[in-house]
Amino acid sequence: MKKAHKPRVYIETVGCQMNVLDSELVIGALRQHGYELTDSPAEADVLLFNTCSVREHAEEKTYSALGRVRHLKRRHPEAVIGVLGCMAQKDQELIRQRAPYVDLVVGTGQLAAVPELVAQVQATRQPQIAVSLGRADAGREEVEASFISYDPVRDPSMRPTPFQAYVRIQIGCDKFCTYCVVPSTRGPEQSRPPQHIWNEVRQLVDQGCKEVTLLGQTVNSYFYRQGDRGTRLSDLIAGMHDIRGLERIKFVTNYPKDMTDDLLDAVRALPKVVKYLHVPAQSGCDEVLRRMKRNYTAAYYMDMLARCRERVPGVAVSSDFIVGFCGETEESFQKSVEMVRSARFKNSFIFKYSERAGTKAAERYADDVPEEVKKRRNNDLLAVQNENSRLDHRAQVGRIVEVLVEGPSRMAAKMATPVADSTIVQLTGRTMTDHIVVFDGTRRLIGQIVRVAVEDASPFTLYGMVVTDDVVNAAVVGEGEGSPQGWPRRPNRYSLPMV
Ligand code: 5AD
Ligand code: SF4
């Protein structure tokens, strides 16, 4: 019997921006096959879980999500349940053991095949598995070819906002940090041809996109060779900079050893490039860095940081740290504390080490830091970072910043009462240094770049008000600390919960 409605797909995404983008692409492809998106698992014909393996916690999240839909499968055995992405690439067998009702297991390099594989499950009722070759299964070229760079169909409804999009410029990773599963779940590092990327950005801008975030595991290692010419990340950015309608270009995540001067000069010189660099340090202790196989010392990292700040004045830098890595003593942990204290990062993402089967660290070193110690170190490092974030945010008070308005603040969104475009609501957006700003304005401002006078700050959020041109002219733009001049000071109305 023919169904009365279009087939529906439900998707849950765990993990990094790369996964968010993969989910957009999978949904884009399924829409082309007649599917529509639903946010209700019970109504879905196809339920997809796009997964992350970077830490055990992320994997457990997926297994509990799968546990929650088990009863649906009992009631609707025709529903197709699929596990996509990193866990699928890494643990095909385990997934089928722990959740035998899963019909589809598709690795990161095979996502283009999802619509076809779903159709095969529906036609045959047989489970389908599609994964790429393991790094040791064949020669490099063959393994590379099995990770299919897949960026065909964009789906605006799946983007963070209609005017912001992720663009993959590179797949995989060749760094092999000893703790990390990514080189095996996402395969060898491969850069996409610049022409493909420029075309995609043009297409996105035609669809109304104003900001693109270029994605790669080590995005600043981007290099594409064509004959005797090579395109570096700085060239790639320069080549898209003048696309009319494109307003902002970001890129994440950077590898400290590949932070070249040509890239920093491009960040400084090109006005559309966001003055924000995410450059994970992972540890401040040389011995730990060596065991992590990061290929740099703490002193090298600090020199690189100084170079970033010298070549791009005013740049905001953020970092990642892992605490409780194998053999991390109290003394080595204190070196990370010292680095966080002196580096004055805008923010840091701090993770407790999670042993991952198949990595060199799991093979070579004991996961010997007890969980309570990891937890305590995580809190201690976060406390030092939070103090720096507070200082960094306070230093923004009195400035006028350019903000791309992303939408209602979380608080305003929670209220969820429909309001007219002209009603004043609390809005949020980001500055050119990636600071989050909350301010009042009409919904018409969403998607626009506005200037906001920063009046107050918490460790994570700036609070301000939109300034008119008259006021901007009378004030110091983007400079200086202290009390704002040239715009009316309002009482501290923003004593709101953190947004
Ligand atoms: N355990 C904890 N954190 C990890 N990361 C990567 N692998 C692990 C692991 N096994 C962190 C790193 C990386 C971020 C994305 O995740 O800090 O930069
Ligand atoms: Fe993992 Fe290191 Fe590659 Fe980053 S650079 S994805 S931490 S292996």
Side-chain angles (χ1 to χ4, degrees):
M1 204 176 64
K2 202 169 178 311
K3 280 193 179 159
H5 64 81
K6 282 184 167 186
R8 292 177 185 143
V9 55
Y10 168 84
I11 191 161
E12 272 183 34
T13 307
V14 182
C16 62
Q17 288 140 320
M18 203 61 104
N19 275 11
V20 173
L21 173 58
D22 280 335
S23 292
E24 176 185 334
L25 301 174
V26 166
I27 294 302
L30 283 168
R31 273 190 204 275
Q32 288 213 326
H33 284 75
Y35 279 82
E36 64 184 10
L37 194 62
T38 175
D39 54 13
S40 156
E43 285 180 1
D45 303 280
V46 177
L47 296 96
L48 300 176
F49 297 87
N50 193 4
T51 61
C52 170
S53 292
V54 125
R55 282 169 291 275
E56 190 183 354
H57 176 67
E59 295 190 340
E60 287 312 319
K61 225 164 139 178
T62 293
Y63 282 119
S64 37
L66 286 172
R68 280 196 301 274
V69 296
R70 180 179 203 146
H71 70 283
L72 291 179
K73 185 73 178 171
R74 272 197 222 111
R75 263 190 279 147
H76 304 288
E78 73 289 354
V80 176
I81 298 187
V83 175
L84 315 181
C86 289
M87 273 172 75
Q89 177 63 33
K90 181 172 143 286
D91 289 334
Q92 310 103 48
E93 295 311 322
L94 189 62
I95 292 166
R96 295 270 311 153
Q97 269 170 30
R98 285 187 64 173
Y101 47 95
V102 165
D103 303 289
L104 195 64
V105 176
V106 189
T108 54
Q110 308 286 324
L111 295 175
V114 167
E116 189 191 319
L117 293 166
V118 167
Q120 271 178 34
V121 173
Q122 288 164 335
T124 64
R125 301 316 319 171
Q126 292 300 311
Q128 301 292 324
I129 297 187
V131 293
S132 303
L133 292 171
R135 301 274 304 214
D137 292 347
R140 172 145 188 142
E141 271 182 28
E142 225 182 310
V143 178
E144 273 187 9
S146 77
F147 279 86
I148 300 153
S149 172
Y150 162 58
D151 298 87
V153 199
R154 306 295 314 226
D155 189 287
S157 73
M158 291 287 290
R159 295 202 190 127
T161 68
F163 41 86
Q164 295 172 298
Y166 296 129
V167 175
R168 185 183 343 256
I169 67 166
Q170 179 194 55
I171 61 172
C173 180
D174 278 348
K175 304 296 186 200
F176 289 101
C177 303
T178 55
Y179 52 80
C180 186
V181 284
V182 170
S184 56
T185 60
R186 289 202 172 262
E189 179 184 321
Q190 299 180 69
S191 293
R192 286 178 72 203
Q195 285 79 8
H196 292 196
I197 297 167
W198 292 326
N199 286 342
E200 190 173 343
V201 172
R202 264 186 227 107
Q203 185 200 337
L204 288 165
V205 170
D206 287 345
Q207 292 174 357
C209 198
K210 293 190 174 172
E211 176 188 279
V212 292
T213 302
L214 311 178
L215 298 184
Q217 305 299 339
T218 56
V219 72
N220 54 341
S221 331
Y222 175 90
F223 189 76
Y224 192 82
R225 191 180 295 286
Q226 276 160 311
D228 54 1
R229 284 202 52 226
T231 305
R232 305 164 296 180
L233 179 57
S234 55
D235 306 316
L236 184 78
I237 290 174
M240 69 177 70
H241 188 265
D242 294 334
I243 295 177
R244 194 194 296 252
L246 179 64
E247 309 259 11
R248 280 190 180 182
I249 303 167
K250 295 188 188 181
F251 55 91
V252 284
T253 283
N254 294 284
Y255 187 67
K257 285 286 290 257
D258 293 333
M259 196 53 93
T260 50
D261 285 347
D262 61 286
L263 180 59
L264 294 174
D265 291 346
V267 174
R268 181 188 53 209
L270 299 173
K272 291 180 184 177
V273 180
V274 167
K275 312 307 176 208
Y276 163 70
L277 299 168
H278 180 225
V279 202
Q282 310 297 4
S283 170
C285 168
D286 289 348
E287 181 50 30
V288 173
L289 287 168
R290 191 187 58 73
R291 264 180 282 127
M292 289 178 163
K293 196 167 151 308
R294 289 290 287 179
N295 291 317
Y296 54 81
T297 60
Y300 178 95
Y301 185 91
M302 293 306 283
D303 282 352
M304 185 259 349
L305 186 62
R307 200 158 43 82
C308 292
R309 288 177 170 154
E310 192 186 305
R311 289 190 106 88
V312 189
V315 71
V317 181
S318 67
S319 186
D320 292 353
F321 283 87
I322 296 177
V323 295
F325 184 62
C326 317
E328 186 190 67
T329 60
E330 205 49 42
E331 202 186 339
S332 34
F333 169 65
Q334 285 308 322
K335 292 183 178 157
S336 290
V337 171
E338 197 33 56
M339 180 184 271
V340 170
R341 188 168 288 134
S342 60
R344 304 286 295 260
F345 297 114
K346 176 177 90 83
N347 60 300
S348 292
F349 302 93
I350 298 165
F351 306 102
K352 289 178 288 172
Y353 172 60
S354 166
E355 184 174 270
R356 310 286 51 220
T359 59
K360 282 278 175 271
E363 202 179 284
R364 288 181 191 160
Y365 312 119
D367 179 10
D368 54 359
V369 178
E371 181 58 27
E372 321 80 74
V373 176
K374 287 181 184 170
K375 218 178 260 172
R376 202 244 313 139
R377 289 182 187 168
N378 192 333
N379 291 340
D380 287 358
L381 203 55
L382 208 54
V384 178
Q385 175 56 51
N386 285 351
E387 176 54 14
N388 278 348
S389 299
R390 193 183 68 77
L391 293 172
D392 171 83
H393 278 67
R394 278 241 62 89
Q396 305 289 322
V397 175
R399 295 184 181 181
I400 291 181
V401 290
E402 253 185 30
V403 178
L404 174 60
V405 188
E406 292 179 6
S409 69
R410 259 198 248 169
M411 245 213 2
K414 256 194 221 146
M415 291 187 206
T417 355
V419 288
D421 271 4
S422 55
T423 312
I424 302 277
V425 290
Q426 197 182 55
L427 299 172
T428 181
R430 279 176 198 257
T431 69
M432 279 296 278
T433 44
D434 201 57
H435 288 87
I436 297 171
V437 189
V438 167
F439 54 96
D440 285 349
T442 65
R443 293 182 63 94
R444 283 197 200 101
L445 295 181
I446 296 171
Q448 309 291 323
I449 291 181
V450 298
R451 287 192 279 184
V452 172
V454 181
E455 297 184 310
D456 203 356
S458 76
F460 311 108
T461 311
L462 303 175
Y463 302 94
M465 61 187 273
V466 178
V467 286
T468 65
D469 277 350
D470 291 356
V471 180
V472 171
N473 292 338
V476 189
V477 179
E479 274 182 11
E481 212 175 319
S483 75
Q485 297 181 357
W487 64 82
R489 188 105 174 92
R490 283 204 277 179
N492 186 4
R493 295 181 308 120
Y494 297 104
S495 48
L496 301 167
M498 288 315 126
V499 184

PDB file of all heavy atoms in Angstrom, residues 173-177 179-183 217-218 255 282 294, ligand 2:
ATOM      1  N   CYS A 173      43.285  12.680   8.978  1.00  0.00           N
ATOM      2  CA  CYS A 173      44.386  13.258   9.751  1.00  0.00           C
ATOM      3  C   CYS A 173      45.588  12.321   9.686  1.00  0.00           C
ATOM      4  O   CYS A 173      45.431  11.111   9.767  1.00  0.00           O
ATOM      5  CB  CYS A 173      43.962  13.447  11.203  1.00  0.00           C
ATOM      6  SG  CYS A 173      45.295  14.160  12.193  1.00  0.00           S
ATOM      7  N   ASP A 174      46.771  12.930   9.532  1.00  0.00           N
ATOM      8  CA  ASP A 174      48.009  12.140   9.477  1.00  0.00           C
ATOM      9  C   ASP A 174      48.909  12.368  10.678  1.00  0.00           C
ATOM     10  O   ASP A 174      50.064  11.971  10.658  1.00  0.00           O
ATOM     11  CB  ASP A 174      48.816  12.528   8.229  1.00  0.00           C
ATOM     12  CG  ASP A 174      48.306  11.817   6.989  1.00  0.00           C
ATOM     13  OD1 ASP A 174      47.499  10.876   7.132  1.00  0.00           O
ATOM     14  OD2 ASP A 174      48.711  12.202   5.883  1.00  0.00           O
ATOM     15  N   LYS A 175      48.419  13.028  11.707  1.00  0.00           N
ATOM     16  CA  LYS A 175      49.325  13.383  12.807  1.00  0.00           C
ATOM     17  C   LYS A 175      49.527  12.231  13.781  1.00  0.00           C
ATOM     18  O   LYS A 175      50.548  12.173  14.448  1.00  0.00           O
ATOM     19  CB  LYS A 175      48.819  14.622  13.557  1.00  0.00           C
ATOM     20  CG  LYS A 175      48.589  15.847  12.687  1.00  0.00           C
ATOM     21  CD  LYS A 175      49.865  16.366  12.053  1.00  0.00           C
ATOM     22  CE  LYS A 175      49.617  17.671  11.319  1.00  0.00           C
ATOM     23  NZ  LYS A 175      50.624  17.995  10.322  1.00  0.00           N
ATOM     24  N   PHE A 176      48.544  11.378  13.927  1.00  0.00           N
ATOM     25  CA  PHE A 176      48.675  10.215  14.820  1.00  0.00           C
ATOM     26  C   PHE A 176      49.088  10.561  16.242  1.00  0.00           C
ATOM     27  O   PHE A 176      49.998   9.928  16.784  1.00  0.00           O
ATOM     28  CB  PHE A 176      49.660   9.186  14.225  1.00  0.00           C
ATOM     29  CG  PHE A 176      49.110   8.467  13.035  1.00  0.00           C
ATOM     30  CD1 PHE A 176      49.486   8.827  11.757  1.00  0.00           C
ATOM     31  CD2 PHE A 176      48.196   7.434  13.196  1.00  0.00           C
ATOM     32  CE1 PHE A 176      48.973   8.168  10.645  1.00  0.00           C
ATOM     33  CE2 PHE A 176      47.671   6.764  12.095  1.00  0.00           C
ATOM     34  CZ  PHE A 176      48.065   7.135  10.822  1.00  0.00           C
ATOM     35  N   CYS A 177      48.459  11.534  16.835  1.00  0.00           N
ATOM     36  CA  CYS A 177      48.678  11.757  18.272  1.00  0.00           C
ATOM     37  C   CYS A 177      48.301  10.444  18.958  1.00  0.00           C
ATOM     38  O   CYS A 177      47.303   9.811  18.573  1.00  0.00           O
ATOM     39  CB  CYS A 177      47.795  12.896  18.765  1.00  0.00           C
ATOM     40  SG  CYS A 177      48.090  14.407  17.828  1.00  0.00           S
ATOM     41  N   TYR A 179      46.915   9.432  21.595  1.00  0.00           N
ATOM     42  CA  TYR A 179      45.650   9.227  22.322  1.00  0.00           C
ATOM     43  C   TYR A 179      44.439   9.193  21.393  1.00  0.00           C
ATOM     44  O   TYR A 179      43.323   8.925  21.827  1.00  0.00           O
ATOM     45  CB  TYR A 179      45.447  10.364  23.347  1.00  0.00           C
ATOM     46  CG  TYR A 179      45.589  11.739  22.716  1.00  0.00           C
ATOM     47  CD1 TYR A 179      44.557  12.310  21.993  1.00  0.00           C
ATOM     48  CD2 TYR A 179      46.798  12.431  22.795  1.00  0.00           C
ATOM     49  CE1 TYR A 179      44.709  13.547  21.377  1.00  0.00           C
ATOM     50  CE2 TYR A 179      46.958  13.663  22.186  1.00  0.00           C
ATOM     51  CZ  TYR A 179      45.906  14.218  21.472  1.00  0.00           C
ATOM     52  OH  TYR A 179      46.062  15.427  20.854  1.00  0.00           O
ATOM     53  N   CYS A 180      44.619   9.476  20.105  1.00  0.00           N
ATOM     54  CA  CYS A 180      43.487   9.895  19.270  1.00  0.00           C
ATOM     55  C   CYS A 180      43.056   8.848  18.241  1.00  0.00           C
ATOM     56  O   CYS A 180      43.877   8.281  17.528  1.00  0.00           O
ATOM     57  CB  CYS A 180      43.869  11.191  18.557  1.00  0.00           C
ATOM     58  SG  CYS A 180      42.505  11.906  17.634  1.00  0.00           S
ATOM     59  N   VAL A 181      41.745   8.648  18.126  1.00  0.00           N
ATOM     60  CA  VAL A 181      41.224   7.672  17.164  1.00  0.00           C
ATOM     61  C   VAL A 181      40.996   8.256  15.771  1.00  0.00           C
ATOM     62  O   VAL A 181      40.752   7.498  14.829  1.00  0.00           O
ATOM     63  CB  VAL A 181      39.846   7.088  17.583  1.00  0.00           C
ATOM     64  CG1 VAL A 181      39.980   6.087  18.686  1.00  0.00           C
ATOM     65  CG2 VAL A 181      38.852   8.171  17.927  1.00  0.00           C
ATOM     66  N   VAL A 182      41.049   9.582  15.668  1.00  0.00           N
ATOM     67  CA  VAL A 182      40.627  10.209  14.408  1.00  0.00           C
ATOM     68  C   VAL A 182      41.384   9.703  13.168  1.00  0.00           C
ATOM     69  O   VAL A 182      40.768   9.448  12.132  1.00  0.00           O
ATOM     70  CB  VAL A 182      40.661  11.752  14.528  1.00  0.00           C
ATOM     71  CG1 VAL A 182      40.479  12.431  13.191  1.00  0.00           C
ATOM     72  CG2 VAL A 182      39.574  12.205  15.495  1.00  0.00           C
ATOM     73  N   PRO A 183      42.727   9.527  13.242  1.00  0.00           N
ATOM     74  CA  PRO A 183      43.398   9.043  12.025  1.00  0.00           C
ATOM     75  C   PRO A 183      42.848   7.693  11.534  1.00  0.00           C
ATOM     76  O   PRO A 183      42.893   7.411  10.343  1.00  0.00           O
ATOM     77  CB  PRO A 183      44.858   8.917  12.469  1.00  0.00           C
ATOM     78  CG  PRO A 183      44.995   9.945  13.556  1.00  0.00           C
ATOM     79  CD  PRO A 183      43.686   9.893  14.296  1.00  0.00           C
ATOM     80  N   GLN A 217      40.648  18.566  10.341  1.00  0.00           N
ATOM     81  CA  GLN A 217      41.166  18.147  11.664  1.00  0.00           C
ATOM     82  C   GLN A 217      42.408  18.945  12.002  1.00  0.00           C
ATOM     83  O   GLN A 217      42.647  19.281  13.154  1.00  0.00           O
ATOM     84  CB  GLN A 217      41.505  16.653  11.684  1.00  0.00           C
ATOM     85  CG  GLN A 217      40.376  15.741  11.283  1.00  0.00           C
ATOM     86  CD  GLN A 217      39.188  15.845  12.197  1.00  0.00           C
ATOM     87  OE1 GLN A 217      39.303  16.295  13.332  1.00  0.00           O
ATOM     88  NE2 GLN A 217      38.038  15.444  11.704  1.00  0.00           N
ATOM     89  N   THR A 218      43.223  19.195  10.962  1.00  0.00           N
ATOM     90  CA  THR A 218      44.387  20.073  11.120  1.00  0.00           C
ATOM     91  C   THR A 218      44.300  21.014   9.922  1.00  0.00           C
ATOM     92  O   THR A 218      45.025  20.882   8.943  1.00  0.00           O
ATOM     93  CB  THR A 218      45.702  19.272  11.114  1.00  0.00           C
ATOM     94  OG1 THR A 218      45.755  18.505   9.906  1.00  0.00           O
ATOM     95  CG2 THR A 218      45.801  18.333  12.291  1.00  0.00           C
ATOM     96  N   TYR A 255      46.743  23.068  13.895  1.00  0.00           N
ATOM     97  CA  TYR A 255      47.804  22.268  14.519  1.00  0.00           C
ATOM     98  C   TYR A 255      48.984  23.220  14.775  1.00  0.00           C
ATOM     99  O   TYR A 255      49.403  23.933  13.848  1.00  0.00           O
ATOM    100  CB  TYR A 255      48.205  21.150  13.544  1.00  0.00           C
ATOM    101  CG  TYR A 255      49.163  20.160  14.131  1.00  0.00           C
ATOM    102  CD1 TYR A 255      48.760  19.322  15.175  1.00  0.00           C
ATOM    103  CD2 TYR A 255      50.468  20.039  13.656  1.00  0.00           C
ATOM    104  CE1 TYR A 255      49.636  18.403  15.715  1.00  0.00           C
ATOM    105  CE2 TYR A 255      51.346  19.113  14.196  1.00  0.00           C
ATOM    106  CZ  TYR A 255      50.920  18.297  15.229  1.00  0.00           C
ATOM    107  OH  TYR A 255      51.785  17.378  15.763  1.00  0.00           O
ATOM    108  N   GLN A 282      47.067  20.858  24.216  1.00  0.00           N
ATOM    109  CA  GLN A 282      46.881  19.522  24.830  1.00  0.00           C
ATOM    110  C   GLN A 282      47.579  19.358  26.170  1.00  0.00           C
ATOM    111  O   GLN A 282      47.033  18.738  27.074  1.00  0.00           O
ATOM    112  CB  GLN A 282      47.285  18.369  23.881  1.00  0.00           C
ATOM    113  CG  GLN A 282      46.693  18.437  22.483  1.00  0.00           C
ATOM    114  CD  GLN A 282      45.175  18.348  22.423  1.00  0.00           C
ATOM    115  OE1 GLN A 282      44.502  18.300  23.442  1.00  0.00           O
ATOM    116  NE2 GLN A 282      44.615  18.363  21.222  1.00  0.00           N
ATOM    117  N   ARG A 294      52.956  14.864  20.046  1.00  0.00           N
ATOM    118  CA  ARG A 294      52.466  16.110  19.454  1.00  0.00           C
ATOM    119  C   ARG A 294      53.548  16.795  18.617  1.00  0.00           C
ATOM    120  O   ARG A 294      53.278  17.775  17.924  1.00  0.00           O
ATOM    121  CB  ARG A 294      51.963  17.060  20.548  1.00  0.00           C
ATOM    122  CG  ARG A 294      50.674  16.612  21.204  1.00  0.00           C
ATOM    123  CD  ARG A 294      49.479  16.719  20.285  1.00  0.00           C
ATOM    124  NE  ARG A 294      49.067  18.103  20.067  1.00  0.00           N
ATOM    125  CZ  ARG A 294      48.058  18.466  19.284  1.00  0.00           C
ATOM    126  NH1 ARG A 294      47.360  17.554  18.623  1.00  0.00           N
ATOM    127  NH2 ARG A 294      47.744  19.729  19.130  1.00  0.00           N
TER     128      ARG A 294
HETATM  129 FE1  SF4 B   2      43.610  13.617  16.622  1.00  0.00          FE
HETATM  130 FE2  SF4 B   2      46.044  14.718  16.758  1.00  0.00          FE
HETATM  131 FE3  SF4 B   2      44.812  14.448  14.358  1.00  0.00          FE
HETATM  132 FE4  SF4 B   2      43.915  16.256  16.135  1.00  0.00          FE
HETATM  133  S1  SF4 B   2      45.947  16.261  15.163  1.00  0.00           S
HETATM  134  S2  SF4 B   2      42.655  14.788  14.953  1.00  0.00           S
HETATM  135  S3  SF4 B   2      44.275  15.226  18.098  1.00  0.00           S
HETATM  136  S4  SF4 B   2      45.500  12.795  15.712  1.00  0.00           S
END
